[in-house]
Amino acid sequence: MQVTETLNEGLKRGYNIVVTAAEMEEKVNEKLLEAQPEVEMKGFRKGKVPMALLKKQFGDKVMGEAMQESIDGAMSKHFEESGDRPAMQPEIKMTNEDWKPGDDVDVSVAYETLPEIPDVDLKKIKLEKLVVKAEDKDIDEALANLAENAQNFDDRKKGSKSKDGDQVTIDFLGKVDGEAFEGGAAEDYPLVLGSNSFIPGFEGQLVGAKVGDDVEVKVDFPAEYQAEHLAGKAAVFECKIKAVKEPKAAEINDELAKQFGADDLAALKTQVAERLEAEFGGASRAVQKRKLLDELDGLVSFELPPSLLDAEAGQIAHQLWHEENPDVEGHDHPEIETTDEHKELAARRVRLGLLLAEMGRKNEIEVSDAEMTQAIMNQARQYPGQERQFFEFVQQNQQMQQQMRAPIFEDKVVDYIFELATITEKTVKKADLEKAVEALEDDAS
């Protein structure tokens, strides 16, 4: 096997690999000899099929496998000896397209290697950590929100009309083409107007109704409605209003606390304070991480693989275009051109991504199976009733696994840097932290 360098320019590499016909023949014979004991063929005992017949029957298939294994082996040996790590999948092409058995195999290989990334003295990095304590007013505001979410409903005065946000108790019977349909009827059903729990247009027609009213609600089932026999059909619901109740926030007391699993109001306040400070801590970490990335970006400089830059710039441009055109789904849109701004942002992301990846590699930082399982389970909760299907989908999808593993790995590397960097805590008000977070969002936009 001959490997000849054809390009060595910056990070770009090119090689020509020649696997001789004799080498291919030898590898094919080895594979056939290995398989021979298990081969059965009519007229021959198991393991006694002649090599000439094996080669005639399976030679083309085995030749393809031998060719691929030879090229893969040559590339593995090359990367091991050269120390190159390709930035993206190498481009491999067979140059003698008119190849036939008995010819040498001539292959060209092109790739961009990852650059040498300089070491960073992490102990010299200085960062500030914003610390926010939950104040009484923050706790009171959170308790008020809990009370609102735990609201009760009290009967309105006799003869009062229902309003958006009220709860009405109704009996209803739904009909399509004058015929009642399965699942279209209920008695004493409590419906909060404006909750959008019924099909579009239903709840709005009950606003202004009074106890004792009979209301005929006319709606169209959505075209994509889950029950196919109702999808797109016009329906009429005969509704009887039996009660109209207005929302009333729950009182902030021990009873409210027990609704949220606390022993009493004091215990609930402690829980709320802990939750708030955890939220503040998460926001503070995001600010601190951005400061770290800004610091690292100014400390390192190295050549970036053009293929990674182009791919990242294209992805950024595509994402921003869809954010500006939210009504367009899928990829049926004009070609999106990358701008200098996209390329500048891509350069930062690629540079920092390579730097963090190298730090993680050198310090043997990895995402454990347990961490991946926990991440998948957390995301699966977003699909109630389909958790198992989501879990199995991720297990069978390598690309999805990588998308989920990448942010976990990055956070672990960032945590490692935080341990070595000099970090000074600064106690600030909630409003100061919110301004810092807003500044991050402004930078991102």
Side-chain angles (χ1 to χ4, degrees), residues 201-225:
F202 188 104
E203 295 166 22
Q205 296 180 54
L206 296 181
V207 173
K210 303 186 300 295
V211 173
D213 284 354
D214 292 310
V215 181
E216 194 175 74
V217 174
K218 298 179 180 179
V219 291
D220 292 329
F221 281 98
E224 65 279 5
Y225 194 66

Side-chain angles (χ1 to χ4, degrees), residues 129-131 279-289 433 437:
K129 179 180 180 180
L130 303 180
V131 178
E279 292 176 1
F280 296 154
S284 174
R285 187 185 189 282
V287 173
Q288 187 178 332
K289 179 180 176 180
L433 178 59
V437 172

Side-chain angles (χ1 to χ4, degrees), residues 399-416:
Q399 185 177 358
M400 185 72 172
Q401 290 180 35
Q402 182 54 32
Q403 289 176 356
M404 297 182 69
R405 181 179 287 106
I408 302 172
F409 174 80
E410 180 176 291
D411 279 341
K412 292 188 74 171
V413 176
V414 167
D415 286 338
Y416 170 79

Side-chain angles (χ1 to χ4, degrees), residues 36-271:
Q36 189 179 34
E38 302 299 322
V39 175
E40 295 184 66
M41 194 175 291
K42 189 176 181 181
F44 298 94
R45 285 181 295 145
K46 182 179 180 181
K48 298 300 182 181
V49 180
M51 280 293 293
L53 194 55
L54 284 176
K55 190 172 291 188
K56 182 178 180 181
Q57 184 76 9
F58 304 108
D60 289 346
K61 179 177 182 296
V62 174
M63 177 68 76
E65 294 175 358
M67 192 181 300
Q68 187 64 54
E69 288 179 9
S70 296
I71 295 170
D72 290 346
M75 292 305 302
S76 296
K77 184 179 179 182
H78 164 71
F79 290 136
E80 185 178 341
E81 292 177 349
S82 67
D84 281 355
R85 289 180 293 145
M88 297 184 76
Q89 188 70 24
E91 183 181 345
I92 300 176
K93 291 182 179 178
M94 193 168 175
T95 54
N96 51 340
E97 296 178 359
D98 56 350
W99 179 89
K100 59 185 181 299
D103 291 347
D104 294 344
V105 177
D106 200 331
V107 174
S108 69
V109 178
Y111 63 88
E112 292 169 4
T113 184
L114 291 176
E116 287 292 326
I117 298 173
D119 290 329
V120 177
D121 187 352
L122 301 178
K123 293 181 180 179
K124 290 185 178 180
I125 293 178
K126 296 181 180 181
L127 299 168
E128 190 175 70
K129 179 180 180 180
L130 303 180
V131 178
V132 179
K133 298 294 183 183
E135 297 181 353
D136 289 343
K137 63 178 182 179
D138 300 323
I139 297 172
D140 291 343
E141 182 181 342
L143 288 173
N145 290 333
L146 288 178
E148 185 175 345
N149 291 332
Q151 66 183 6
N152 299 311
F153 290 93
D154 289 345
D155 286 321
R156 283 193 177 277
K157 291 181 180 179
K158 187 176 181 180
S160 295
K161 294 181 179 180
S162 64
K163 299 179 180 179
D164 195 38
D166 283 356
Q167 182 190 78
V168 294
T169 303
I170 59 175
D171 293 344
F172 64 84
L173 174 65
K175 296 180 180 180
V176 171
D177 296 329
E179 297 291 332
F181 57 88
E182 186 179 353
E187 293 183 355
D188 295 325
Y189 189 94
L191 175 63
V192 177
L193 304 182
S195 64
N196 297 319
S197 53
F198 274 27
I199 58 177
F202 188 104
E203 295 166 22
Q205 296 180 54
L206 296 181
V207 173
K210 303 186 300 295
V211 173
D213 284 354
D214 292 310
V215 181
E216 194 175 74
V217 174
K218 298 179 180 179
V219 291
D220 292 329
F221 281 98
E224 65 279 5
Y225 194 66
Q226 56 190 3
E228 293 183 7
H229 67 290
L230 297 175
K233 296 286 184 66
V236 176
F237 286 84
E238 299 168 359
C239 302
K240 179 75 172 180
I241 311 299
K242 303 177 77 173
V244 175
K245 301 183 178 183
E246 62 181 331
K248 180 182 179 182
E251 292 185 22
I252 300 174
N253 53 24
D254 290 344
E255 288 302 314
L256 175 69
K258 290 174 183 177
Q259 288 185 47
F260 289 95
D263 291 336
D264 52 32
L265 183 57
L268 180 59
K269 286 184 176 182
T270 300
Q271 290 181 12

